Amino acid sequence: MGMTGNYIAVDSETIVKIASGELQLEELDPAEYPSLDIDKSWQAILYTLCGEVFNGEPPLGYVVPLLEDQTLDFLDYGAFYVKPEQVAAAVAAISGISEPDMRQLYNFEGMVSEAIYPVLEDEDRDEFFSYMFAHFADLRSFYETAVTGNQGIIFWIS
């Protein structure tokens, strides 16, 4: 198993209620919302885009939103929300990132030295990049769809 990154897209009213504490994440049924599972690639994507393991600089930090100021108490690792306007900013930032662009940002050795999950020293660097980029492409599509519906995003690790 392992720690997987999970997303749901929700309307802006729900994001406001969750951010204010008026609505608890446990009250939502994730099956009722558009969702995405990016498997174990979440921290590698964050590190590749932002060079950070937590609190990535926006707007790229909104893609895998491990944001201290947008945290919700949920499960073991918490959950994080992204408002619709932040989703739009993230889409603007990532829409033009091609595979060669991402490969330029990719720092496998840095991931190993920073102990980025789930990278292991004996991992095949090209194989891992392909795995990570496939999930990034799915994530980009998910965010693009959320923008068209003026939706916010909730992310958690399970």
Side-chain angles (χ1 to χ4, degrees):
M1 211 94 141
M3 299 182 298
T4 61
N6 303 279
Y7 292 80
I8 59 172
V10 300
D11 61 80
S12 57
E13 182 180 320
T14 302
I15 286 288
V16 168
K17 287 180 178 179
I18 285 176
S20 71
E22 183 181 336
L23 178 66
Q24 299 301 307
L25 192 50
E26 292 85 350
E27 296 175 58
L28 298 181
D29 179 359
E32 294 180 9
Y33 299 94
S35 63
L36 178 68
D37 176 345
I38 61 166
D39 197 41
K40 299 173 189 173
S41 68
W42 54 274
Q43 194 172 43
I45 292 171
L46 174 63
Y47 185 78
T48 299
L49 292 176
C50 299
E52 301 290 338
V53 296
F54 194 75
N55 277 327
E57 186 69 32
L60 293 174
Y62 296 140
V63 178
V64 180
L66 299 177
L67 302 168
E68 191 171 60
D69 63 341
Q70 293 180 212
T71 302
L72 303 166
D73 186 24
F74 186 68
L75 300 175
D76 292 337
Y77 303 104
F80 307 85
Y81 63 89
V82 183
K83 298 174 183 174
E85 62 273 14
Q86 294 170 328
V87 173
V91 168
I94 63 175
S95 64
I97 297 178
S98 66
E99 187 171 345
D101 295 333
M102 191 77 152
R103 196 171 287 279
Q104 268 193 320
L105 297 171
Y106 182 60
N107 178 357
F108 184 79
E109 291 75 20
M111 287 186 193
V112 170
S113 69
E114 293 287 333
I116 299 300
Y117 183 76
V119 179
L120 300 172
E121 191 171 9
D122 62 351
E123 193 100 40
D124 180 290
R125 65 181 296 125
D126 292 327
E127 195 174 295
F128 185 79
F129 175 83
S130 295
Y131 162 81
M132 181 191 70
F133 187 78
H135 286 293
F136 170 74
D138 291 344
L139 188 51
R140 181 174 48 205
S141 294
F142 184 74
Y143 267 62
E144 288 168 348
T145 300
V147 164
T148 63
N150 192 36
Q151 294 173 304
I153 300 286
I154 299 170
F155 170 77
W156 72 94
I157 301 161
S158 61

